[in-house]
Amino acid sequence: MYWPMGAARIYSANRTRRKDHDDHDLQEGRESPRNDSNALLGLRTSRSGHLLTTITATSITIWQASPIVVLATSSRSVSSLRDYGPNVAVLLRPDASIAVVQTSNGFLVTYSIIVDPINRVYQQIREGEAQQKATDANRLILEQERAGLREVNIKFRMVIRIDAGIAAVLALDNEVIVATKKPAAVQCIMWSPDSAGRQTSTELISRMAWIQKGSKIHAMVYDRAMSLAVWVTSDGRAYAVQRRSETSKDPGEVQRLFRGYGFHNPENSSLEATHAAINARFSLLAIACMRGEIHIYTARDYAGSIPLSHKLVPPASLSTTGQITCLSYSPDGYGLVAGYEHGWAIWSVYGKPGASSFNADTNASRTNDERWLLSVNNMSWVNAGSELLLTSANDSRLWVVEMAKSAVTSCFSSANINRTLLLTSSHLMIYRGFDLPSTATISADSSLWQQVAVPILYITKQRPIRSAVISHDGRYIAVAGKRGLAHYSVGSGRWKTFDDSEAENAFVVRGGMCWYQHVLIAAVESDESYELRLYSRELGLNAESLLHTQKLPSAAVVISMTGQDSLLVYTYENVLYHYIVNASDTAVTLIQVGRLALNGIVRAPARVRAVTWILPDFQLRDGDPSQDVAHASVLFLVDAKLVLLQSSVNEGTQKYDMRVIANNVEYFDVMRDQGTLVDSPSQSLAESPSGEHSPITGLHADRGLRDSLWFFDGESVRCWTDIEDLLESASSENDRDMPPSVSIATDFYPTSILLSRGIILGLDSELIQRRDVRFAMFRHTIRTQLFLPHILRKCLSDLDPAAASVLALRYQDLPYFSHALELLLHMVLDDEVDATFNAEDSLMPSVVSFLSPFPDYLDIVVQCTRKTEVRSWRTLFAYLPSPQQLFEESLEKNLLKTAGGYLLVLHTFQELETSSEQCIRLLQKAKEAGDWDLCKELGRFLMALDASGDTLHEALNRMSINGAGEVNNTPSDRSLLVATPRPTKGRKQYWLNGYSPGSPRRASSEACLSPNGTADSEDYFSSRSG
């Protein structure tokens, strides 16, 4: 997932003065209709991401992507504009050698982009360089400033006239594909003629049987990795299209250049397709619709099996967002950005909403002329997805938004999931709340983030940073750029990089990295050979400091640590290797103990994103590591399918059964791989609080959630609490359905499962606009949600209160444990208050029975009543003792504030006299305990019951208050010297904390109202106050 950071940077190829808006337009709430002659009309980036091009109506500009600078620009002549028309759109050949500009009169103007290997631009020589401190970083900066950047020249190439009119254009490696209007056809124009001298070929749309008759092509996109294009036609349909590899050489035979399949057929005009995007990493096709929705399809094969996966709903109404103008997936496929007529929005790959500009104050954005928040007409990703380029309508500026992305997107590692690590273009962001007490972990304080700058010596030469990985204990981090790697110690704050640039440039990390204690294991490619390299954090980085090198027969797809010392390496030859890390006082080596060939099981090794396995307990305790492969159940994440591979022996032959256990998986985590992070907050198991539950048997009761499997599917976090039960159900030997997973919905993007804290931790973006500054900025905040109530509910629904009790005991020392139990009661109550089912099917009796042994039981119930509507109380107390009994029990346990909460229920359910009698008894108790604040609140309560004041006067007389009784006339007691009030006409009726019986209550905790109608800082009848 991606989160925007900070304020957008602005670049422009023209010197434009900041223009003020017309006062009348601002007052009317609309944007000033200025027409910028230098407005950017198109934006394209090369495949490598090093160069990008923009156009205006009269010129074309070439930029370097990192750092962003203008390298060359070319303006068209007056005669050229008159003959061919102004520029409309721009395309860039993937290798950035040719730019194609589409004009309004149906011409394609091509330019050659020539990079000069000798001449340089932007060379800078500073005065007084000798006085600067001669550090390595300063020397490198000075050398690069002197060297400058390579010069780029734009040379006119040719003009191509398309007589039939241009509807859409694609620029590919070997040809330009042009969709024409009249007649509707597709024309392929090669960059250079073939051996037979032919350069063009054409196929009419009417001859394509797989396209709806009478359709014309409206838009086209192409993805090289999938070798697939998506065509959007004028009738709102979308087609997946492939270029035929062979065509007939007979000029008299009808040419068949393309084959395709329709997959988006709109039911009405609001669902007609307008734009498309392709996600090769997850095999997804995104279609933007007229009403702002985005439909996501899964491309299962090239034979037309492209079902609908999910839909993305716009973050606001169509009148607010406008129609979609552009659509783009991030380079790694984990994020999708949609540009709208009035803003933009981000989603995760499977639909979790992220940041958007529609939360901005449009008036402030117009005043500050921040058009990147008001409209988007083009966008592009650069710097490996760390920066997003945006252009707006009638604007000559290029807006650059820095992005922070999860390290899981570049290096799928259990440690990266367990510990939230973010990667930006030049920094790492580490969340340090994991090492603090439980209450600090859930804090949104920005000081819990540690920002670490990647060494300038490394990032300058090896940008962009492609991957990063953190150790399980959070002590070490490693990063890898274009070449080489570097690692960092969180404790000492020191980086280690290669001293020898040749050694650094000699290899590239390919296949990932992971940590084993202080040893970094990296899968690398060097001189067309593939290796596993071991580097120690305690030693410097150089060729001689290698601890161990393990040759691989082919490149690694992914590597991962599992268990205590097992390393799994999955390679492109479709083989899974098992190594043991052999560590001694003198050396650390890798020993191969097993391999598993997966030919015929995994069809495309490149589609595998992660791999781990689960070993039986007997194998973990006493088994031979060389036999792990035979006993292991392997988990693969292939695209977004979580695949379970189980071994079995049939007639002496070992076979493997494969089963897809989850779909749309963005990431998953096996808690066994977390190591020490899964330790229970309660190290020893106490007896059951009730003492009457059935004996606890089985692994699940003994281990809590340490055998659980978690994954995120774009909508909610899901969990199987016992992976052993899952493996047994998935086995082909058992005719059982898979156990249902626990679903935990979140309103933020979850990044980590903190098992020992009982919470799901995630991030949310926030847009900040202040009146004292003229720019907006994004920041991300920590969000948390308790998962414990959902797990407990699952146990009780499965009629397993013993497991629920044991699980609750593991978390009973957390400061928010009572709140978790309160949420459990509230969740069940909300589901059952309006449900219609038999009483035998109700879960409420089980929940009440489960909660009753806990010491905070009375507080939990009263807190639940405070946060629900009065109509829910009847359902709740149908399974509880009477409110009178709970009130008496609270008084007996001296829980006076809790007893005060039950007065509300008593007054709602019973007669006035009974409630006032109980209130007087509680007032007497509060007076004896010296709780004068409670006495004041009870006085208000009695005034609400009897506006004449007689009841309050009687109560005070019975306790000898308001006279020469026990209360002295001291400053601290004067608040209790209450004169008997008399009712007045229209007198306001007060209730406890401003609450009156029968008024609806929100489910969430809110500040209660004092009698003057203002919000108090404390709800006195809350058991957590004071």
Side-chain angles (χ1 to χ4, degrees):
M1 186 56 175
Y2 285 74
W3 297 270
M5 290 183 54
R9 305 195 306 273
I10 305 174
Y11 297 87
S12 179
N14 304 285
R15 294 183 178 181
T16 56
R17 182 174 59 86
R18 189 188 187 103
K19 298 183 179 181
D20 296 328
H21 294 284
D22 185 76
D23 294 338
H24 175 71
D25 291 325
L26 289 178
Q27 291 173 3
E28 293 294 330
R30 62 176 184 269
E31 198 172 350
S32 176
R34 72 179 188 186
N35 187 11
D36 194 340
S37 60
N38 295 317
L40 298 180
L41 304 178
L43 170 65
R44 288 292 185 272
T45 309
S46 65
R47 180 188 297 144
S48 63
H50 296 319
L51 296 178
L52 59 102
T53 179
T54 60
I55 61 165
T56 66
T58 60
S59 65
I60 179 173
T61 303
I62 306 299
W63 306 67
Q64 179 174 287
S66 183
I68 298 179
V69 292
V70 174
L71 297 178
T73 186
S74 175
S75 297
R76 293 174 56 197
S77 64
V78 176
S79 61
S80 173
L81 293 171
R82 182 182 62 250
D83 296 339
Y84 308 136
N87 301 335
V88 174
V90 64
L91 296 103
L92 196 61
R93 184 172 170 172
D95 61 2
S97 61
I98 299 176
V100 181
V101 176
Q102 177 187 345
T103 67
S104 60
N105 293 346
F107 292 86
L108 296 179
V109 183
T110 62
Y111 299 87
S112 295
I113 302 174
I114 303 171
V115 180
D116 195 318
I118 300 176
N119 295 329
R120 317 290 287 187
V121 294
Y122 295 110
Q123 293 175 297
Q124 303 179 46
I125 300 177
R126 297 184 181 181
E127 296 181 0
E129 292 180 358
Q131 284 75 25
Q132 293 189 6
K133 186 177 180 180
T135 63
D136 291 340
N138 285 339
R139 281 196 296 269
L140 178 62
I141 293 173
L142 293 175
E143 289 175 2
Q144 291 196 337
E145 288 180 347
R146 293 194 198 102
L149 305 174
R150 289 183 296 179
E151 184 179 16
V152 172
N153 297 309
I154 302 176
K155 183 179 180 181
F156 173 76
R157 194 167 182 265
M158 69 170 66
V159 176
I160 303 173
R161 179 176 180 176
I162 309 296
D163 294 328
I166 301 174
V169 187
L170 272 181
L172 306 182
D173 290 308
N174 301 319
E175 60 188 0
V176 176
I177 299 178
V178 182
T180 61
K181 297 179 179 178
K182 294 181 180 180
V186 178
Q187 189 174 17
C188 301
I189 306 172
M190 301 181 66
W191 296 113
S192 58
D194 59 13
S195 57
R198 295 182 304 177
Q199 194 169 1
T200 64
S201 56
T202 305
E203 183 177 2
L204 295 174
I205 299 295
S206 60
R207 301 290 180 87
M208 300 178 185
W210 42 274
I211 290 186
Q212 190 76 12
K213 297 299 181 182
S215 299
K216 298 179 182 179
I217 296 177
H218 168 71
M220 298 187 295
V221 294
Y222 176 79
D223 185 82
R224 183 192 182 198
M226 293 187 69
S227 185
L228 187 72
V230 174
W231 293 358
V232 177
T233 56
S234 57
D235 58 358
R237 300 174 185 268
Y239 300 85
V241 183
Q242 276 193 301
R243 185 77 151 86
R244 290 181 181 269
S245 58
E246 296 182 2
T247 58
S248 174
K249 298 182 180 180
D250 186 358
E253 186 177 344
V254 177
Q255 296 289 321
R256 294 288 185 262
L257 303 178
F258 302 94
R259 64 171 177 267
Y261 303 91
F263 63 91
H264 178 77
N265 299 312
E267 299 176 356
N268 51 63
S269 59
S270 64
L271 297 179
E272 290 182 358
T274 58
H275 296 81
I278 301 176
N279 187 337
R281 189 69 184 89
F282 292 87
S283 302
L284 299 177
L285 309 179
I287 300 298
C289 301
M290 287 286 291
R291 67 182 181 190
E293 285 187 357
I294 303 175
H295 291 196
I296 311 297
Y297 295 85
T298 301
R300 294 180 178 174
D301 53 37
Y302 293 102
S305 178
I306 309 177
L308 179 66
S309 172
H310 56 283
K311 299 178 183 179
L312 304 182
V313 179
S317 64
L318 182 61
S319 61
T320 302
T321 64
Q323 292 186 357
I324 294 178
T325 58
C326 50
L327 206 60
S328 178
Y329 276 104
S330 61
D332 53 34
Y334 277 85
L336 174 65
V337 182
Y340 290 84
E341 291 177 328
H342 306 307
W344 52 268
I346 302 177
W347 291 269
S348 71
V349 58
Y350 282 101
K352 194 66 176 179
S356 79
S357 65
F358 299 106
N359 296 323
D361 184 342
T362 55
N363 291 329
S365 301
R366 291 190 182 99
T367 302
N368 298 331
D369 199 19
E370 292 193 293
R371 300 216 168 194
W372 67 291
L373 297 174
L374 299 174
S375 69
V376 172
N377 59 4
N378 287 284
M379 64 174 60
S380 185
W381 297 86
V382 295
N383 213 351
S386 296
E387 293 174 336
L388 179 65
L389 309 181
L390 303 173
T391 64
S392 300
N394 296 326
D395 192 6
S396 61
R397 293 165 294 180
L398 184 66
W399 302 86
V400 182
V401 183
E402 186 174 10
M403 291 286 179
K405 60 181 180 180
S406 171
V408 178
T409 63
S410 58
C411 184
F412 200 108
S413 166
S414 176
N416 281 348
I417 298 174
N418 302 334
R419 294 183 174 270
T420 301
L421 175 66
L422 303 183
L423 180 63
T424 69
S425 58
S426 59
H427 287 74
L428 299 172
M429 302 184 68
I430 313 163
Y431 183 66
R432 301 300 304 276
F434 303 104
D435 305 321
L436 300 175
S438 300
T439 52
T441 301
I442 61 178
S443 172
D445 190 355
S446 59
S447 64
L448 297 179
W449 286 99
Q450 179 179 348
Q451 293 200 28
V452 180
V454 180
I456 190 172
L457 288 173
Y458 182 75
I459 198 171
T460 303
K461 296 181 291 184
Q462 308 299 347
R463 66 159 54 99
I465 300 300
R466 301 186 184 276
S467 61
V469 66
I470 192 170
S471 60
H472 273 289
D473 56 12
R475 298 174 59 189
Y476 308 114
I477 301 174
V479 297
K482 183 172 59 177
R483 313 283 295 183
L485 56 84
H487 49 70
Y488 174 78
S489 172
V490 177
S492 65
R494 299 183 61 183
W495 282 93
K496 288 189 178 180
T497 60
F498 280 89
D499 298 329
D500 184 4
S501 60
E502 291 186 3
E504 182 179 82
N505 293 322
F507 70 93
V508 57
V509 174
R510 182 162 298 168
M513 302 176 289
C514 59
W515 287 93
Y516 173 76
Q517 298 179 12
H518 68 283
V519 176
L520 175 64
I521 305 174
V524 305
E525 177 183 349
S526 176
D527 296 329
E528 297 184 355
S529 64
Y530 309 101
E531 302 171 342
L532 293 174
R533 293 187 177 183
L534 274 63
Y535 295 95
S536 173
R537 171 61 201 176
E538 309 302 327
L539 303 176
L541 277 176
N542 51 64
E544 292 75 23
S545 64
L546 270 174
L547 297 179
H548 179 73
T549 301
Q550 180 71 41
K551 294 290 183 180
L552 294 175
S554 64
V557 178
V558 63
I559 66 174
S560 64
M561 290 295 302
T562 180
Q564 295 293 327
D565 53 4
S566 292
L567 175 68
L568 301 180
V569 181
Y570 180 67
T571 65
Y572 277 95
E573 64 175 358
N574 215 350
V575 176
L576 179 65
Y577 294 92
H578 178 209
Y579 295 90
I580 294 294
V581 182
N582 182 27
S584 64
D585 294 337
T586 58
V588 180
T589 59
L590 294 177
I591 301 175
Q592 182 181 338
V593 294
R595 65 190 300 270
L596 177 61
L598 299 172
N599 296 322
I601 300 176
V602 179
R603 292 185 300 174
R607 315 300 304 177
V608 175
R609 294 166 49 208
V611 62
T612 188
W613 69 21
I614 300 100
L615 293 174
D617 282 354
F618 68 86
Q619 183 66 20
L620 281 174
R621 290 192 303 266
D622 307 317
D624 182 0
S626 62
Q627 299 300 315
D628 285 355
V629 171
H631 297 284
S633 297
V634 186
L635 279 173
F636 286 96
L637 185 57
V638 184
D639 286 343
K641 295 182 175 63
L642 190 56
V643 180
L644 176 62
L645 190 66
Q646 291 180 288
S647 63
S648 60
V649 178
N650 185 13
E651 298 179 355
T653 303
Q654 188 170 12
K655 66 173 185 177
Y656 292 91
D657 300 322
M658 184 176 69
R659 182 168 183 178
V660 177
I661 61 175
N663 291 290
N664 296 357
V665 177
E666 296 196 14
Y667 64 83
F668 75 96
D669 197 8
V670 179
M671 288 303 160
R672 286 188 177 185
D673 293 338
Q674 282 199 14
T676 57
L677 291 178
V678 302
D679 289 343
S680 168
S682 300
Q683 296 298 327
S684 59
L685 290 179
E687 294 182 359
S688 170
S690 65
E692 299 177 355
H693 288 313
S694 58
I696 301 169
T697 59
L699 296 174
H700 174 66
D702 188 37
R703 296 175 180 173
L705 296 175
R706 285 179 288 182
D707 271 346
S708 58
L709 170 62
W710 300 72
F711 67 94
F712 178 61
D713 64 0
E715 294 183 357
S716 59
V717 177
R718 296 182 177 272
C719 168
W720 281 294
T721 57
D722 187 3
I723 200 169
E724 296 287 349
D725 184 37
L726 174 65
L727 298 179
E728 185 177 348
S729 301
S731 175
S732 60
E733 299 177 357
N734 298 324
D735 187 15
R736 289 176 51 187
D737 294 333
M738 289 184 55
S741 60
V742 181
S743 178
I744 307 169
T746 62
D747 60 352
F748 56 87
Y749 189 89
T751 58
S752 300
I753 312 298
L754 305 188
L755 203 64
S756 62
R757 310 293 174 89
I759 61 176
I760 299 171
L761 184 140
L763 296 176
D764 200 5
S765 290
E766 181 182 5
L767 178 62
I768 301 174
Q769 291 177 292
R770 296 174 52 176
R771 295 182 179 179
D772 56 345
V773 293
R774 300 193 66 182
F775 59 86
M777 62 180 294
F778 276 95
R779 70 178 180 185
H780 52 264
T781 58
I782 282 291
R783 297 284 304 279
T784 56
Q785 180 165 325
L786 286 166
F787 65 73
L788 186 58
H790 301 268
I791 306 296
L792 293 175
R793 179 176 182 173
K794 174 65 166 55
C795 295
L796 296 176
S797 300
D798 293 342
L799 304 180
D800 193 0
S805 298
V806 172
L807 186 62
L809 284 173
R810 291 181 176 272
Y811 293 94
Q812 64 181 350
D813 293 334
L814 293 175
Y816 42 83
F817 175 69
S818 295
H819 180 62
L821 299 182
E822 178 189 330
L823 287 178
L824 169 64
L825 180 61
H826 195 281
M827 286 164 41
V828 177
L829 178 60
D830 275 357
D831 290 345
E832 295 191 1
V833 64
D834 294 323
T836 55
F837 49 74
N838 297 327
E840 295 80 7
D841 299 330
S842 174
L843 187 61
M844 187 62 71
S846 300
V847 174
V848 171
S849 175
F850 169 73
L851 295 177
S852 58
F854 289 97
D856 294 334
Y857 165 67
L858 295 171
D859 291 329
I860 292 169
V861 174
V862 78
Q863 291 291 339
C864 185
T865 60
R866 290 179 57 251
K867 300 173 185 177
T868 57
E869 297 180 356
V870 173
R871 67 186 183 88
S872 303
W873 293 4
R874 295 288 182 185
T875 303
L876 175 62
F877 282 92
Y879 305 97
L880 287 168
S882 65
Q884 176 67 37
Q885 183 177 344
L886 296 176
F887 175 81
E888 297 293 343
E889 189 175 348
S890 300
L891 285 182
E892 182 181 348
K893 295 182 178 181
N894 206 30
L895 301 175
L896 302 185
K897 287 180 287 185
T898 303
Y902 284 112
L903 281 178
L904 304 178
V905 184
L906 282 170
H907 179 74
T908 304
F909 287 172
Q910 299 181 11
E911 295 297 328
L912 175 66
E913 292 78 8
T914 306
S915 297
S916 44
E917 177 65 27
Q918 305 301 344
C919 182
I920 294 174
R921 291 177 55 201
L922 180 58
L923 184 61
Q924 178 68 31
K925 283 267 190 179
K927 174 248 181 180
E928 294 173 357
D931 195 339
W932 306 117
D933 288 333
L934 179 57
C935 290
K936 287 193 296 182
E937 295 295 334
L938 292 172
R940 295 178 183 176
F941 181 78
L942 291 175
M943 283 298 301
L945 295 180
D946 182 8
S948 67
D950 294 337
T951 305
L952 176 60
H953 191 270
E954 177 187 355
L956 297 178
N957 287 335
R958 287 174 58 180
M959 295 184 296
S960 301
I961 298 181
N962 206 23
E966 302 176 21
V967 181
N968 298 322
N969 188 15
T970 61
S972 60
D973 294 332
R974 286 173 184 168
S975 60
L976 295 178
L977 300 179
V978 183
T980 303
R982 297 299 174 195
T984 59
K985 184 177 181 180
R987 179 181 177 86
K988 185 177 180 180
Q989 298 296 310
Y990 298 140
W991 191 248
L992 291 177
N993 299 304
Y995 173 69
S996 60
S999 62
R1001 296 287 288 175
R1002 284 185 171 271
S1004 59
S1005 300
E1006 297 180 353
C1008 294
L1009 296 178
S1010 61
N1012 60 8
T1014 60
D1016 284 339
S1017 60
E1018 176 181 343
D1019 179 359
Y1020 198 79
F1021 286 114
S1022 169
S1023 60
R1024 292 172 182 80
S1025 60

